[in-house]
């Protein structure tokens, strides 16, 4: 009897259009799951061989079953913590005065001197078309230090009280790789640009407790599951408390997602100096089926196009005296890349502008020449303004691209009209060119910069339409198959886990997403209208559209 039960599936998902996303792209109608892994993939009439008296049979009524979406670059831990602060995004505020009203309301509940923080402000979507200033924040909360982050994460807005605490005055020089924006008379405006300017602020902010981080993670988890995401690559956070929060959250079921996380070089070095190891925190540093796994070392080499801080080879359209900032001087970047490459780490480097990408490739080339290493899977994160010649070099180096195609929808019109002009805007996130040159790539949402939505990434990659409906670089469109690969098997490759997930094959993890329709059967324009019906991790349904919404879900 025990032998017979071991041959029977725990659960079977049947009457489905199964898109395996493996090399054969099998036509299947059912998937059998045993002990959290795929036991078999078969045609509908063959499914009975996997079923026994205790097998749960779930009828998908003709819906599409795909590998679970993998979100290959986001800031999950940071996003969860931000959900506890003020929502200053354009989606929730029509004007700057609306943002200040939220700040005033929060100030009314807090004793004088306590911090007020918020997130998501986007100057380019506000009717005032300007940044927040210290004068705005002083009006909103004169008795509190205030910090509001820009949607890009590359700018921060602070009140006069914060500037005073940071010691930033009219004559204070800009930090290397960062800037303090200034008023006409040279006084600081309250806008801090890029990490060298923001890091002293972050060190000053009151840090959320592990319990608060876990609360935010629970809220973020519900949002990601609702979008069909089963695995993530957290693109980086500061300090060790998020590591503890991740470990505890997965132990207690607070986070269902499989997590591969990056550590900023500074955090990794601080752990080493303190004699702490990830193993002591209960975190896996190798490959395999760990729910929580250390991934790459993260570095940042420029800023954001919409903050005018991405490093460009040619000036910005509306600010012709500006070409952005390289965050790390080339000799120092070369040294850091060689250090982590030689130590055997995967390295992921943020690079938006073509000048930053050039700097990153030079560092990779130098390290690989000095210390050749196969299968390193180093990545350029965002890689928005990469040139064809740079893509050819990436292919030769084995460097992957982690693209951000939803930028085309959210900022494409402004890229064309405000930031970089029509010619350069037409080739941002050049997926078509990446296919041509054989560069392996995935696609991400960079939460909280844009909302998590793999289906929106799919739509953007296939259509390349801006929010106004204009097509931006039609020659860079890719097929539905290629876009789905970027969200599944390619994204698994980015985290050295393509043998465990990313396709529906016997022995792989039973992580699936159920869509309302087969994406190959709808028009390209309708891809974003597909609905997530179920999200399944380890064979178990962790989100279903026909159940009561979970705490923290997007409305």
């Amino acid at each position: 009897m025990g032998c017979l039960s071991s041959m029977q599936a725990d659960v079977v998902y049947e009457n489905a259009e199964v898109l395996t996303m493996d090399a054969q792209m099998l036509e299947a109608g059912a998937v059998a799951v045993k002990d959290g892994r795929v036991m078999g993939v078969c045609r509908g009439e063959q499914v009975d061989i996997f079923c026994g008296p205790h097998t749960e049979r779930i009828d998908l009524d003709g819906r599409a079953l795909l590998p679970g979406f993998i979100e290959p670059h986001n800031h999950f831990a940071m996003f969860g913590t931000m959900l506890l602060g003020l929502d200053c995004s354009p989606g929730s505020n029509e004007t700057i005065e609306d943002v200040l009203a939220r700040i005033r309301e929060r100030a009314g509940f807090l004793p004088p001197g306590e911090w007020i923080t918020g997130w998501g402000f986007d100057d380019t979507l506000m009717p005032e078309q300007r940044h927040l200033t210290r004068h705005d924040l002083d009006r909103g909360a004169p008795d509190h230090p205030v910090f509001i982050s820009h949607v890009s994460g590359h700018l921060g807005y602070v009140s006069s009280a914060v500037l005073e605490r940071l010691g930033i005055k009219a004559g204070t020089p800009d930090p290397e790789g960062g800037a303090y924006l200034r008023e006409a008379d040279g006084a600081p405006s309250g806008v801090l640009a890029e990490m060298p300017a923001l890091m002293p602020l972050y060190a000053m902010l009151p840090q959320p407790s592990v319990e608060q981080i876990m609360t935010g993670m629970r809220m973020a988890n519900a949002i990601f599951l609702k979008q069909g995401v089963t695995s993530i690559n957290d693109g980086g956070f500061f300090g060790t408390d998020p590591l503890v929060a991740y470990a505890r959250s997965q132990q207690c079921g607070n986070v269902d997602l499989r997590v591969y996380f990056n550590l900023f070089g500074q955090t990794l070095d601080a752990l080493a100096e303190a004699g702490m190891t990830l193993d002591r925190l209960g975190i896996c540093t190798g490959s395999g089926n760990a729910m929580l796994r250390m991934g790459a070392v993260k570095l940042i080499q420029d800023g954001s196009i919409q903050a005018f801080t991405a490093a460009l080879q040619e000036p910005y359209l509306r600010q012709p005296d500006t070409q952005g900032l390289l965050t790390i001087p080339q000799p120092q970047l070369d040294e850091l890349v060689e250090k982590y490459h030689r130590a055997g780490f995967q390295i992921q480097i943020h690079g938006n502008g073509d000048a930053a990408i050039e700097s990153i490739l030079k560092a990779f080339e130098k390290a690989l020449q000095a210390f050749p290493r196969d299968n390193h899977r180093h990545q350029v994160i965002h890689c928005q303004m990469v040139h064809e010649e740079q893509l050819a070099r990436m292919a030769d180096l084995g460097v992957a691209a982690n693209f951000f195609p939803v930028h085309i929808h959210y900022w494409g019109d402004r890229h064309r009209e405000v930031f970089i002009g029509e010619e350069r805007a037409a080739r941002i996130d050049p997926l078509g060119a990446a296919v041509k040159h054989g560069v392996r790539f995935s696609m991400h949402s960079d939460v909280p910069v844009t909302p998590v939505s793999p289906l929106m990434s799919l739509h953007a990659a296939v259509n390349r339409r801006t929010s106004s409906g204009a097509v931006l670089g039609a020659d860079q469109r890719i097929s539905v198959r290629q876009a789905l690969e970027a969200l599944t098997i390619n994204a698994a490759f980015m985290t050295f886990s393509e043998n465990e997930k990313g396709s529906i094959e016997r022995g792989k993890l039973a992580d699936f997403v159920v869509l309302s329709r087969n994406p190959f059967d709808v028009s390209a324009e309708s891809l974003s209208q597909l609905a997530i019906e179920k999200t399944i991790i380890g064979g178990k349904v962790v989100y279903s559209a026909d159940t009561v919404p979970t705490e923290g879900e997007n409305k």
Side-chain angles (χ1 to χ4, degrees), residues 161-179:
V162 179
L163 289 172
E164 185 176 347
R165 294 186 188 192
L166 290 168
I168 300 173
K169 305 174 183 178
T172 304
D174 290 339
E176 186 172 29

Side-chain angles (χ1 to χ4, degrees), residues 76 213-223 249 254-255 551-552:
F76 181 88
I213 298 172
M214 290 176 66
T215 297
M217 284 182 171
R218 184 176 69 250
M219 298 167 68
N221 180 71
I223 292 170
S249 288
N254 203 29
V255 172
E551 176 188 357

Side-chain angles (χ1 to χ4, degrees), residues 100 132-140 158-160 183 188-190:
L100 299 185
L132 292 169
T133 70
R134 62 186 172 95
H135 305 293
D136 295 321
L137 303 182
D138 292 348
R139 284 195 296 116
V158 298
S159 61
S160 295
E183 298 169 352
S189 67

Side-chain angles (χ1 to χ4, degrees), residues 143 163 256 296 315 317 321 327 331 344 420 526:
D143 300 321
L163 289 172
D256 301 285
L317 181 65
D321 58 343
T327 308
I420 53 178
S526 301

Side-chain angles (χ1 to χ4, degrees), residues 284-353:
C284 178
T285 55
S287 60
N289 181 30
M291 290 294 292
L292 181 61
R293 195 153 58 94
M294 161 67 183
V297 174
K298 172 73 178 294
L299 301 171
I300 297 176
Q301 186 54 352
D302 75 342
S304 163
I305 296 173
Q306 58 269 34
F308 293 98
T309 55
L312 309 185
Q313 293 179 333
E314 300 293 335
Y316 282 89
L317 181 65
R318 292 279 183 90
Q319 293 191 14
D321 58 343
T322 301
Q323 288 180 235
L325 298 164
L326 285 177
T327 308
I328 307 172
Q330 192 68 46
Q332 184 183 351
L333 181 67
D334 292 345
E335 181 181 340
L336 287 170
V337 168
E338 181 178 307
K339 169 185 172 181
Y340 296 121
H341 170 78
R342 190 175 185 182
F345 287 102
Q346 181 189 32
I347 304 170
Q348 297 184 12
I349 308 182
H350 166 118
N352 272 311

Side-chain angles (χ1 to χ4, degrees), residues 450-494:
T450 68
V452 58
S453 176
L455 290 178
M456 189 66 206
S457 293
L458 172 66
H459 184 274
V462 173
N463 292 285
R464 292 187 66 91
R465 287 198 180 274
T466 70
S467 57
S468 72
V471 175
L472 203 62
D475 59 326
Q476 298 300 336
R477 290 168 167 163
I478 59 173
S479 70
V480 171
R481 171 73 183 265
Q482 291 163 337
L484 286 173
E485 287 174 342
L487 295 167
T488 55
I489 191 64
N490 282 4
F493 174 87
M494 299 295 176

